[in-house]
Every structure is written in C-alpha cells, then in structure tokens.
C-alpha cells in the first residue's frame, strides 16, 4: 500500500465528527478475529498492512492476542475510550454494543451486521434504537448493513471488503461513496484495475445516521480529491447533496452518480436491500441535472470515464474528429458521435490538403478520416496525419478507432504518436482498441483507451455535456412574493380562487367572469366576447368535465343563459357548494401546453412543463424542473421534448411564443417555492400558447392545498 | 489450425458459382508476395498453413518461387485456368486483370484493391467495367475494396486479414459475412477470443457483383452453421436477404445483423467507405423485424451474444430470476430486467421456503434473491439455493450477478454449481462477473459470462425477444385485388378519386358527396347530416387547407351553400381544374390516427401507422410495417407507440376500436402490394377511430401516382 499524499490536511477540511471516522487516533473492533478472511479479521489486517498510524484495540474475550495485537475482553477493559469502534457482532448484540459505545463517549461507530431496516418494520424499529442511542450523545453511526469505511490517505480501513485484497490499494484523487458495500468495492476494484488511485471508499449501508450526502459534503473539501463517484439507491437528504454539488462546482470537482432503482422492479428490490424509499425517476434526473451531477447507469460507466475526467479535460465545444484505419469504424464512429450529442468537425481545406499529402488517393480526407488498410504498408500514416489535424480550429475532441491491428502494424509507434498528439493539442483524445496487444501500448502511454466506439465516444460526449452542465449559471431566486392560499376546508381551491391567485402573482390568465345569475351570464358573454366556455365553479368538484359541468364553444348569450341554469341545477342535484358559474373566453389557433407543479416530500417544489390537454399523464411529453430555474432552462427543457419541433412552427404555423410560456413556468416555480408545502399541487392545463408576441394564457387551473408550512 | 468438420458437404449445399470461391480446386494470386505481411503474401501463407487441399499458383513475373511454390509470370503461363483468382494489384491493373480472368474462363475473382466505387463517379465507372466483364462470362466478383474470403472448413483463405495471425482460426458453427473487411476481421477476432469456432469470414467490400445477401443465402445452406452474423452498410437487395431469413427460420438459424450508418453522419461516412446508398432507418428496422433478423449496435454486441445462441437456448417465456451476493446487484439486475423487456419471476411459496432454509434470516427469498455477503462465510449457499429455484415453474431464465468475490470465496464451487444447475434445468443462465479471477472458472465451466448486468440481462432479453420474433407466424398474402389508379396526368389523384379507390378495396371512408351546384350542396347537407366539412376537390391542389379550401364544422345548409360558392370562386381564381366540392360528415369524439404508405425504391411497399393530425411528420409517433403483415402485428406495433396508452382508454375514454384500425392498415398494405410502383405514396390522415364497435373511418386521403409497374 502506497501513501502518496500527505494526510495532515484532513483535520483542516473535515468536520470533527466525520474526522473520527476517517482519521481516528484509536480504533476498537468488537468481534475481532484472528482469521483475516472473517469480517472481524479483515479491518485489523488492512489497517496494519495499510500503514495506519493510530492505535488498534481488538476486542475478543476468548483470545489473548489477535493478529499480533493484545486483545481485550470488552470495551470497558480498554485503556482509553476509542474514537472509532467497529461493531462486527450481529443482531441484538450489535444494538447493545452501539448503546454501550454511546454511553462511553465513543465518537463514531461502524455497524457491519445486516438484518435491520432492510428486513421490514421490526428491523426498522431495532435500527431506530441505534439511531436514538447515537443521537442522544452525538455519536455518529455508519451502517448498519455496510462493508464499512476505508481511507487510503490515512490507512484507517474500517471495512472488510475482499476487494482490497483482490486489487491492492493505492492512494489517489478519487472518492467512492456508496450506500451499498458491494458497489463501493466494485467501483474501487474497477478503478484500481485501470491503474487509478483511490483515496476514499466508504459505504453507508442502511444509513441509520450518516448518509452518502453528508460524507460527500465532508470529502468534497479534501482538496486532493479530483473526482467523486456516488452510488445511491435513494436520495434521502437532497439539500445536503445539493449543497455539496454547488461547492464541488466552485472547485471544479465533477460528481458522477449511479442511482439504482430506476424501474418499479428495481425500486422494490432496493427497499429490501437498504430499506430505501422510492424516488420518482424524472425528479431524480431533474435533481442531478440541476446540480451539475452526471448520472450514469452503473459502476462500470463510472470507472469507464474516470481517466478522462482526471486528465482535467473540460472541452469547450462538441465537435469531434474521427480517425480510423477501417472505413466501417469511421461509419460507426460517426454514428456514435451523433448518438452522443457530438457534431463532426468540418475540417478546413488546408487541413484536408495536409492530410491528403500522407494518405493514398482513395482514402478519405474529410472527417471521419479513413487512413485505410494502407496503414499496414506505411506505419508512419498516424504520425503524419495527426499533426495535420491537430491545428484545425474546428476540432474540439479526437477519437481514434483501431478495430484491427497486430502483426505487421507498428502499434507502439501509433501509441507514441497519439500520446505526443495529445500532449501537443491538450484536447481530449480517446482510442478504441479491443485487442489486448493494441490497447496495451496506448494504455501504457496514458491515452484513455476503450473497447469500442460506443464507449469511447460515449465518454467524450459525456465529458462535453457534463462540462457544459457544470458551467451552467446557477442563480437562486430572491424577493419571492408571499403566497396566500385562499382559506377553505376542502382539499382543493375553486377555479376562480386559483385563477385569482395566479393573476396576483403576475401569471396571465384567461379573460373570465364569475356569474351568479343568468343576467350576469348574458352580460359576461358580451364583456368576455363569444364564443365562450361555461364552467361550474366549485371547490368540491375539481374535475368538473367528468360531471358535464363544462360547456365549450357557446355561441350566443341565449345559449349561455340556458347552460348556466342547467349547470346550476346539476350542482344543486350533486349537493355541493359552489361560487357560481365561470364564463370564460375561448382560445383558438393556439397550442395547448401545460405547467404542473407539486410539492415533493423529499425534493420540495417540482415543476412539470410540456404538452397539455387531456392526455398529459398518458402521453408523458413533459420535462421536470426543480426551482429555481431560468427562462433559458425552461426553453432548453422544452427543446428536449417530443413536441419540440412545434416550437419553431411546422406545417405553416408561426413559431410559438416560447418566452411567454417560459415566463409562466418561472412564475409558477417562484410561487411554489414561496408557498412551500402549503400547496400540494398546482395544475395549469391547458396553458394556451400563441405565436411569438401573442403570449401565453392559463385557461384552466386547479390548486390542491397542502399541509401548512 | 484445426479442421473439425467434414468439408465434403460443401459441394452439395452451395451453388456452383459460389463454390468456386469458397471451395476452389485451384487458386491463383496475381501480385503474389514472398512477404507474409504483404497483402499478396498473406493468402498464400494462410492457405498453406490452413490445410488447403487445392493447388496454389502464385503469379509474380519477378520471382522464380513464392513461399516455396513455383511462381508464374502471368495468368497465361499457368498450366490450367484457375477456378479462383485473387487480384492483389491496384488501379487499372486490377481492372485489366479482371477482364483477363473473365476472358480466360476463371469462375471467381477476389479484387482486394481499394479506390473504386467508394471514391466517387469516376471510381464507380471504373468499377462498372469490372462488373461488366464478369457479367459477360458469368464470372463472379468479390470486392473490390475487400479483405477477401476465408473458409476455415476448406482452408480456402482468399483473404489477407491480420486477425488470422492475431487470433488463430478454429473451424466452428459461426458464419461472419460483412461488407467491411475490418468488421469481418473484428467479429471473427472477438468470437475467437471467446473461444468460439468460426467457419466463414467473408467480406464483400464494394459489392461490384456478389453481395452479402447472396453469400448469406448460400451459407445458410451449410447445415453445420448455427449462427450467422452480418455487417451491412446498406441493403441493396432486400429480397435475397428476406429469402435467406425465411429459409434460416425453417432450420432455426438465427441471423444477427449490424447495419451501420444509423445517423446522417454515419450514412455520409458509409458512402465514402463502401459507396453505400443510404437506407431509411425505420424501414431498415421494419425490414429486419419482419424477417426475424435481430439488429444490434455493433460487432461487440454480436460477439457478446453468440455463446448464448450457440447453446441452443430458445426461451419460451420472459420471466427472469436474479440471484446475487450483493443487494445492489439485485437492484441493478431488476432494473436491467425491466429495461430489457423481461419480467421478474414470481417465485412460489414452496420455492421461497426452500430458499429460506439456506439463507440467513435477513436475506431476501423473493426474486431478486439476495444471498448477501453471508456467501463469504458459507460457500455452499450457491449450491443450496440454485436447486431450490430450479424447479420453480415461473422461472424461464436465470441471471447470477457476482460483483465482488475473491479471497475467502470458493468461486470454483460457485462455477461448478452453476454449470450443474444449467445442465439440470436446460434453461438459459447468464453470469455477470467483471473480475478475471471470478469470471474464469465460469467461462471454463461453459457458462455464458459477462462483465455486468447490462450485458448479461441484455443478452437474455435479446434471446427471449429474438426467439419470439423468429417464431412469429409469417404468412404471405394471396388473392390480391388488382389496383386501378384513376387515369390522369398530374402527380396526384383528386380526393374523390382516392376515396373511391379506397372504398373499392373495402376500406371504410367518410360519408360524403361530390357537389357541382349550391343546390346539390344543400341536398348533401341533409343526406350526409350536419355539421359537415366542405373541401374543394382538385387533383391539382393536393394540400387544399393551405389555400383555405377546407371549411370545418359547417352548421347549416345556408352556410354550406355560401362556402360552396366562395370555394368555387377561389378555384377559378387559382386557375386549376376541379371536380366539384366535397360535402363530408364531421367525425366527433374519436381519435385521429393515420395510415401512410409509400413505395420505397429498395424495399417496395412500406406502411406507416400511428397518431394522425397535422403534426405527423413533426411528432413522428408512428411505426413502420412492411407488407404482408397481420392484424396482430399492426396491433403489436401500435402498442409500441407513445400513443399506446390511449388505445385502452384513459381519462374516461372508452377503449379504441384497434381492430378496425388494424383492418384499415392491412387493407392499405394489400392495396400497396397489388399496386406496386404505380402508387408512389398514399396518405390517409386522419383516420378517425371510434370506441370498440364504432369502427374506423378514413376522413381525408391523398394518393400520389408512381411510375407504372
């Protein structure tokens, strides 16, 4: 085990309580074992081997010595109160040990045993006893149901993962924080296999107390950490993670997260694994996006991209040059570029000319550059073509695809030339080479090397998109206007109340009039201007169209008066209170959009924007945004929807007034933030959006009251 | 090189002309080289090493001997006319060699040189000279721009790929057919790396004559071939490929294809690679699906799934059991299942009880089964849990996910138990293990082993879906009714003509009347029943709404008469011929769908079905089907659309009359097949679909004439 980096700073950056877990002076192991393949044996073995400078106290009443260290019969027998205690015993004994540790003033405990919160209500109750014991004295708990913690900067390895034997540690710039012990080990192992050094490998298990987010906050302050990888099965305290991400952006620390439980089946499995509550997928995506955290599928994807991030590459553009000795690999490289949000660089005439001097006449000098099987006859083609391309200003990134090489090819030279090229340009370069013999020289030369174009170009695309995301401006909103949800006892506000509230927050609403008599309706028909809509206004009938209480396209005052009477009669029959009948203007020739919002118990206000109409839930063409967000972010989200082509006008339509719609979304976001939990949900559907300059107008609105904030 | 299988049958199954390429008695190499790393040296080296039984004639005027064989000055000097000639010389010399071979009665030539059809019009013209020379005498041409052919069943290796040195050949049950030489080599190499034997590795390059499809047809008749892998950049002769696929299904030979050039950038690159014309992506997908060919992204995906296919597994269901020693891997396994179209098996109570007897109390006995880190303490958990699950009738397939193991784990036992389990159940089993030390014992035991759950479950999902696809019934249509496109000189038929044609083919059309006078319009208002639509009927104005020649929701006969006059006036002003004004019924409370069709120059009739309305092209919520297809296939395609939730009725809607709509689609398919190229395109939009029992009705229709068939 090699300790590359100084450990002194750890006391400076980390909160005191986390420091006793990550850099303890004294560690006790309750259930210490002589056998290094037992859970109680591994941490002692790892710490002794890993250069841990503190004191280790094995606790095992049946032994005199454990792994060469004096063994103690109990916590009480130790010469001092240890800062950190590893609890390897199971069941009730684990709970008792936690309580004992708390009583004796231990600062941190790691509980490795499983069989608590993840098993059901009874297990959750037992786990709560541990939480309570810790909270009572301020002792922090890691786990239960965890592989433990490992800090290769200090040698404090309070974990038992087999992986630290399989892939020997080396301190380095990466932190791995995970709810799952297995996944922390796997990411660590995958990184080590690629020769990447890892300092922090911590698993929080059931998170009876300390969460991944809290650890992330502490570890983001370790200035030597250049990349943070998270594995999550739920997001319990998004505010801590959000704060961490905001801080990480200020110091250019990329965070890449796996959030498993993407599907119904996966969420069910997660609840029996770490006892995680399900988060809604789209909200999780929106949360990560908002905070500049990149989400990937699995630990393999995390390990795959690490080297490119650690190179410090932060591409300023998304234009890719593809170079290959196979035409087919050029084709597939071009496909991969488009599929990963990259454009192909358009090479200048002078670049093409320079390339052409090296290549045979039948080769392609446009991008992708096919240097063809002629590489077999002339090993210099690489070294000649690369510098020619390097100077092209349209080239933000480079991808070299070598599907076939070997005997007869000077692969060492290709690798050397590529590394030189990379150093020369300072721009991202990725290589795809599946053959060991071809990949090895590139890997040895420090060039990020992948098995195929999907992976290589995927990582380049991720790097470009993540860099752009991390650079997005991020302004919190100020001067929020207080929200007064109208008084009332029911679950919903009436439509008239809701429209009034929206209007008072500057949101454009449909021209309408609340009428109590047929005469008022006749008058409203003229004021509002026909044709009109008649809608019964009752807080007790939120879904009025289902009861025939909406009449569209009413063409005359006479008809309106008749409908008024019949709607009022219907309300009387339904025995519901009401505020009258709304006469509202009809919107024609506009697009039906919608803005929805709800207060999520975990994430707080959540805003949905997209296509409106009756089938919003069925067709799901909407994006999720977490406030605060900008007009530009609304527009960018709209551009990602299936309805996006309509925004610019198709089939003779004028372009839509996207800005006006975005303003409605921003206003709803502000309203929801100010309202907090006092509004459970708010649905504006449809919001009719006209052509540019015509604005957007809320035609129908429903507000569901929440608990008081 | 090991020749496992007898080569005698090759003469039986292969057409004579392909046999002279794949199993020649005599081979000459024009441009033969002593250097085995030169293109002219490799084939001689490979054939001598590979046990080729025929005679090899090197042709090189400057040498007495090449690689120990007598060298000849020219083709004319040979003691006999060789069956197969490899032409290694370039440019005009290659063309002259082709012409010379044809003149002398050679049966097949392989042209390796590049610089022909892929370079532009001039190159295409030169290439055409070769094609012409071959056609004149019936000589078949492979290439130009190819790595050549390799038959490891006969040792006839008319190719120069470096990969045959890098990964030594072994005859086996796989055939690799590719337009690209690089990709044929890569798939071969990836398969050999996995220990899979490969018999055929053929690249057709620019396909001046022989295509991948033709080779596929021949090689599908090799009874020893159990898996066929294709790499295509375009599909030039779909009918041959379709015939091959149909035959392959009769003998349970799965075909897995890569079709590169999926994007605009990729298609552009393909045109400069093999000179391929772009195929439309959705049509390509529909073509593969129709013929039971599975499409994957790249050669890696082909190699990844090969072992599972070669096991002969053809799962009859899609229910998966996930087993892991990591809870997180259970979660990700469950996610992967859902994402790959698999369901999680619901284990019976007795299975769960049997599982529970082995596992610790906190482990999960429902599916996914989390055997937890307890595996570290008890290596028998695998052997105990697997048989318990094996008997469950709900288990179609098994996935074992081992993200972490190593020291302390008896991996050899896990692998042995898994292989036993596989043999016992006969059901598909896939393992994910990224650690070499963990994967190796499983690989040695013959269990398909992958790096992660995305790959493993992806392959299982593919196997289930591909098996279902290959088993889909496939009935050609008979008794097609002749189609008489109405006479006319313009590009389009009028709407009245088109509706009449549809009706004559049994397709339900909107109730309407073509009127010449205001009086007729008034009468039609009554007959058809108001409110009505008025539409000018002119073959010269196909997009009439753009000219204000459509009036919707006309409420009275008086208004209808007025509109009639104004539309007729407008037509006169536009100076276009017309057939009158159509008065048609309005359809209310129905869903707007569409059926489109066109005659594709490569694939023939193509039918599109999906959401209708003004924005079909912009929103693209449609599926592509190639006739013939069944009602069930239409319904299944509809279920894959974004509008699918609407089919069953949401928000209080009744379920849609999907069968009636499917019948329209089938009728359009029959009509298009019968019409052939005489109809260029046909758009039925909207087709209004009512609730079950209410049927579907074509409201608007446009027919574009094609060339005569």
């Amino acid at each position: 085990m090699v300790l590359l980096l100084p450990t002194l700073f750890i006391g400076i950056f980390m909160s005191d309580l986390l420091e006793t877990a990550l850099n303890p002076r004294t560690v006790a192991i309750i259930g210490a074992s002589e056998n290094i393949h037992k859970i109680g044996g591994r941490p002692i073995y790892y710490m002794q081997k890993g250069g841990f400078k503190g004191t280790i106290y094995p606790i095992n009443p049946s032994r005199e010595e454990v792994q060469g260290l004096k063994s103690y019969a109990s916590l009480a027998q130790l010469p001092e109160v240890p800062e950190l205690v590893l609890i390897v015993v199971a069941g009730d004994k684990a709970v008792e040990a936690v309580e004992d540790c708390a009583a004796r003033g231990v600062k941190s405990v790691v509980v490795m045993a499983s069989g608590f919160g993840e098993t059901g209500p009874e297990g959750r109750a037992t786990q709560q006893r541990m939480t309570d014991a810790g909270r009572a004295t301020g002792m922090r708990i890691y786990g239960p149901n965890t592989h433990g913690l490992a800090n290769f900067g200090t040698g404090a390895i309070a974990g038992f993962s087999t992986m630290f034997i399989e892939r020997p540690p080396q301190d380095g710039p990466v932190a791995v924080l995970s709810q799952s012990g297995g996944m922390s080990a796997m990411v660590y192992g995958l990184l080590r296999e690629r020769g990447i050094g890892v300092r922090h490998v911590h698993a929080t298990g059931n998170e009876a107390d300390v969460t991944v987010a809290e650890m992330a906050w502490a570890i983001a302050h370790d200035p030597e950490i250049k990349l943070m990888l998270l594995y999550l099965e739920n997001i319990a305290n998004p505010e801590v993670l959000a704060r961490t991400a905001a801080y990480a952006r200020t110091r250019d620390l990329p965070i890449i997260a796996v959030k498993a439980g993407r599907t119904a089946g996966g969420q069910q499995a997660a609840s029996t694994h770490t006892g995680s509550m399900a988060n809604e997928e789209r909200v999780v995506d929106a949360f990560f996006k908002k905070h500049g955290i990149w989400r990937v599928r699995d630990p393999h994807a995390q390990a795959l991209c690490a080297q490119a991030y650690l190179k410090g590459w932060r591409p300023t553009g998304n234009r890719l040059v593809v170079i290959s000795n196979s035409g087919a690999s050029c084709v597939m490289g071009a496909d991969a570029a488009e599929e990963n949000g990259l454009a192909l660089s358009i090479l200048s005439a002078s670049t093409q000319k320079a390339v052409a001097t090296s290549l045979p006449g039948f080769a392609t000098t446009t991008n992708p550059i096919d240097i063809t099987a002629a590489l077999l006859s002339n090993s210099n083609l690489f070294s000649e073509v690369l510098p020619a391309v390097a100077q092209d200003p349209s080239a933000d990134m480079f991808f070299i695809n070598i599907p076939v090489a070997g005997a007869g090819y000077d692969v060492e030279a290709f690798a050397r030339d590529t590394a030189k090229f990379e150093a020369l340009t300072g721009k991202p370069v990725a290589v795809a080479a599946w053959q060991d013999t071809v990949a090895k020289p590139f890997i040895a030369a420090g060039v990020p090397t992948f098995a195929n174009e999907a992976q290589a170009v995927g990582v380049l695309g991720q790097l470009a998109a993540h860099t752009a995301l991390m650079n997005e401006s991020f302004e919190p909103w100020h001067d929020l206007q207080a929200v007064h949800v109208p008084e009332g006892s029911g679950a919903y506000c009436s439509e008239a109340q809701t429209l009034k509230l929206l209007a008072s927050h500057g949101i454009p609403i449909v021209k309408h009039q609340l009428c109590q008599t047929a005469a008022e309706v006749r008058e409203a028909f003229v004021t509002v201007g026909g044709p009109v809509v008649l809608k019964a206004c009752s807080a007790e009938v939120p879904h009025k169209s289902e009861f025939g209480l909406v009449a569209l396209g009413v063409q005359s005052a006479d008809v309106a008066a008749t409908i008024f009477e019949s709607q009022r009669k219907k309300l009387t029959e339904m025995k519901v209170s009401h505020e009258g009948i709304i006469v509202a203007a009809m919107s024609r020739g506009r697009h039906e959009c919608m803005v929805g919002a709800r207060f999520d118990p975990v994430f707080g206000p959540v805003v949905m924007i997209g296509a409106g109409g009756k089938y919003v839930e069925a067709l799901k063409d909407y994006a999720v945004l977490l406030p605060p967000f900008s007009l530009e972010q609304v527009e960018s989200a709209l551009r990602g929807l299936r309805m996006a082509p309509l925004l610019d006008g198709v089939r003779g339509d004028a372009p839509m007034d996207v800005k006006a719609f975005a303003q409605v979304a921003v206003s709803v976001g502000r309203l929801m933030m100010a309202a907090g939990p006092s509004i459970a949900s708010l649905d504006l559907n449809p919001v009719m959006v006209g052509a540019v300059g015509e604005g957007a107008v809320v035609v129908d609105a429903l507000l569901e009251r929440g608990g008081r904030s």
Side-chain angles (χ1 to χ4, degrees), chain A:
Chain A
M1 202 172 301
V2 183
L3 297 179
L4 279 183
L5 303 170
T7 60
L8 276 177
F9 62 83
I10 291 179
I12 302 163
F13 72 80
M14 244 172 234
S15 76
D16 285 352
L17 288 171
L18 287 190
E19 193 183 347
T20 59
L22 300 177
N23 189 25
R25 287 183 300 109
T26 45
V27 182
I29 299 93
I30 300 179
S33 170
E34 181 67 20
N35 184 341
I36 69 156
H37 292 315
K38 296 268 180 193
I39 293 173
R42 285 268 172 87
I44 299 170
Y45 170 75
Y46 287 145
M47 282 190 279
Q48 295 209 88
K49 196 169 172 221
F52 175 60
K53 298 281 191 287
T55 311
I56 305 170
Y57 294 118
I59 297 179
N60 183 336
S62 60
R63 296 188 69 95
E64 290 288 306
E65 242 185 50
V66 170
Q67 297 186 40
L69 299 169
K70 176 174 161 49
S71 174
Y72 296 85
S74 70
L75 203 58
Q77 308 291 316
L78 297 185
E80 62 181 321
V81 175
E83 286 188 347
L84 173 66
V85 176
L86 277 55
I87 299 172
V88 177
V89 292
D92 281 343
K93 281 191 182 154
V95 182
E96 287 155 19
V98 169
E99 289 168 340
D100 193 23
C101 286
R104 289 178 190 279
V106 169
K107 297 279 190 261
S108 297
V109 294
V110 178
V111 184
M112 284 158 175
S114 304
F116 298 99
E118 80 277 18
T119 59
E122 206 179 317
R124 272 198 292 280
T126 315
Q127 183 173 309
Q128 188 60 41
R129 279 176 54 202
M130 297 196 243
T131 308
D132 294 344
R135 295 271 153 86
T137 67
M139 180 182 78
R140 302 307 306 263
I141 303 171
Y142 300 82
N145 191 19
T146 177
H147 284 205
L149 314 176
N151 180 346
F152 296 107
T154 62
I157 299 144
F160 64 85
S161 173
T162 302
M163 199 53 70
F164 306 147
I165 296 172
E166 298 300 308
R167 299 285 185 279
Q170 182 183 307
D171 191 18
V174 184
V176 177
L177 308 174
S178 169
Q179 284 180 259
S180 153
M183 289 307 103
S184 70
M186 185 162 158
V187 180
Y188 162 86
L190 288 164
L191 289 166
R192 293 294 306 119
E193 186 160 77
R194 290 166 181 266
I196 296 170
V198 183
R199 171 168 297 172
H200 296 282
V201 184
H202 307 305
T204 54
N206 286 6
E207 302 195 337
D209 176 21
V210 179
T211 62
V212 163
E214 282 180 273
M215 298 205 81
W217 170 251
I219 286 167
H221 290 77
D222 180 343
E224 310 273 354
I225 293 302
K226 304 295 182 201
L227 179 64
M228 183 177 278
L229 306 177
L230 308 181
Y231 173 87
L232 303 162
E233 291 189 0
N234 75 334
I235 299 175
N237 39 6
E239 64 291 349
V240 180
L241 200 50
R243 185 152 45 90
T244 303
Y247 173 70
R249 296 210 293 193
T250 65
R251 53 156 294 217
D252 187 32
L253 170 64
I255 303 177
I256 301 170
V258 172
K259 161 71 179 65
R262 294 185 301 274
T263 64
Q267 284 169 359
Q268 175 59 32
S271 77
T272 62
H273 176 221
T274 47
S276 296
M277 300 287 293
N279 298 123
E280 196 186 314
E281 264 302 283
R282 289 193 182 204
V283 178
V284 170
D285 277 336
F287 173 80
F288 284 143
K289 189 155 187 238
K290 176 184 178 61
H291 297 291
I293 298 172
W294 195 262
R295 185 180 187 179
V296 295
R297 154 185 290 277
D298 59 23
H300 293 271
Q302 290 180 309
L304 201 66
C305 63
Q307 188 187 5
Y309 279 88
L310 293 174
K311 284 262 179 192
W313 292 333
R314 301 291 183 268
T316 52
N318 76 338
R319 295 164 303 172
L320 180 72
V321 177
V322 176
I323 304 170
S324 180
N325 63 329
S326 150
S329 293
C330 287
V331 177
M332 294 201 289
D335 281 342
E338 189 160 326
E339 287 166 346
N340 286 285
L342 299 176
L344 291 173
S345 306
I346 296 168
L347 300 176
S348 69
S350 66
T351 302
Q352 289 194 46
K353 204 174 151 195
V355 170
T357 56
S358 304
L359 295 186
F362 53 80
T364 314
T365 60
T366 51
N367 181 22
I369 299 172
D370 180 3
I371 59 180
T372 78
L375 186 63
L376 184 56
S377 340
N378 176 7
S379 275
N380 289 327
L381 286 183
F382 250 101
S383 59
E384 290 171 13
V385 167
L386 291 178
V389 186
Q391 303 158 36
D392 199 288
S394 80
D396 297 313
M397 293 183 287
F398 300 89
F399 169 52
I400 297 171
N401 205 356
I402 309 179
V404 180
Y409 290 88
D410 188 354
V411 179
E412 295 284 345
F414 306 161
R416 207 168 45 238
D417 294 340
T418 304
K420 216 183 294 170
F421 173 71
E422 188 211 324
L424 178 74
T425 61
K427 290 177 183 174
V429 179
V431 168
W434 66 271
Q435 292 168 267
D436 274 359
T437 46
V438 181
K440 266 182 192 159
F442 284 97
I443 292 168
V447 179
T449 305
F450 303 87
N452 53 49
E453 57 276 321
Q455 291 184 352
V457 180
V459 165
L460 292 176
Q462 175 183 333
L463 206 59
H466 193 182
T467 302
L469 194 63
M470 286 180 71
N471 290 336
E472 257 184 32
S473 66
F474 179 76
E475 275 174 54
W477 288 336
H478 300 291
D479 309 320
L480 292 178
Q481 181 187 344
V483 175
H484 303 288
V485 177
E487 294 298 319
S489 58
Y492 295 92
C493 292
S494 77
E495 183 169 356
Q497 286 174 326
T498 306
L499 288 173
K500 197 173 159 193
L501 178 71
L502 295 176
S504 74
H505 284 263
I507 297 170
I509 57 167
V510 69
K511 195 172 179 187
H512 71 286
Q513 210 162 306
L514 184 60
C515 304
Q516 307 301 337
T517 64
E520 281 179 22
V521 167
R522 285 174 187 280
E523 195 190 306
F525 187 89
V526 178
T527 326
V528 167
V532 298
V533 184
L534 265 75
K535 306 186 273 190
C537 182
S538 164
E540 292 181 50
V541 191
H543 303 292
K544 48 201 174 296
S545 61
E546 291 171 17
F547 297 91
L549 290 170
V550 177
L552 296 167
V554 179
Q555 300 273 351
S556 72
D558 286 347
V559 176
T562 311
I563 291 171
F564 168 82
E565 297 297 356
S566 79
Q567 287 196 356
R568 216 170 48 170
K569 192 169 158 227
K570 174 89 183 174
L571 288 168
T572 309
E573 284 166 14
M574 288 171 72
K575 296 181 181 155
V576 292
S577 68
H578 69 91
E579 297 168 20
I581 307 294
I582 292 172
V583 176
M586 286 282 285
S587 293
R588 287 173 179 279
R590 295 177 164 218
H591 286 278
E592 284 197 5
C593 296
M594 72 94 192
V595 178
R598 63 185 179 78
F599 189 84
D600 185 282
V602 174
F603 293 93
V606 173
V607 175
M608 281 79 71
I609 54 167
K614 187 174 170 185
Y615 301 120
V616 167
E617 275 309 313
L619 299 179
K620 292 192 167 52
D621 189 24
Y622 60 81
V624 173
L625 291 169
L626 304 188
F629 48 77
S630 65
L631 291 171
E632 291 71 28
Q633 283 166 329
V634 176
E635 186 161 345
S636 158
L638 288 172
R639 300 253 163 230
L641 296 179
R642 303 190 304 251
M643 67 172 283
L646 307 189
L647 301 177
D648 299 318
V650 290
R651 299 289 314 273
D653 295 351
M656 285 166 65
D657 198 335
V658 175
K659 285 207 172 13
F661 179 72
Q663 187 56 61
V664 173
V666 167
S667 299
V668 169
R670 292 178 66 93
L671 192 157
M672 289 298 291
M673 275 191 81
S678 70
I679 296 179
S681 73
L682 180 60
D683 282 307
L684 316 187
N685 181 16
V687 178
M688 303 302 289
V689 182
V692 170
E694 290 179 1
V697 61
V698 177
V699 167
D700 210 337
L702 181 61
L703 187 156
E704 184 189 1
R705 299 173 204 279
R708 297 294 154 184
S709 56

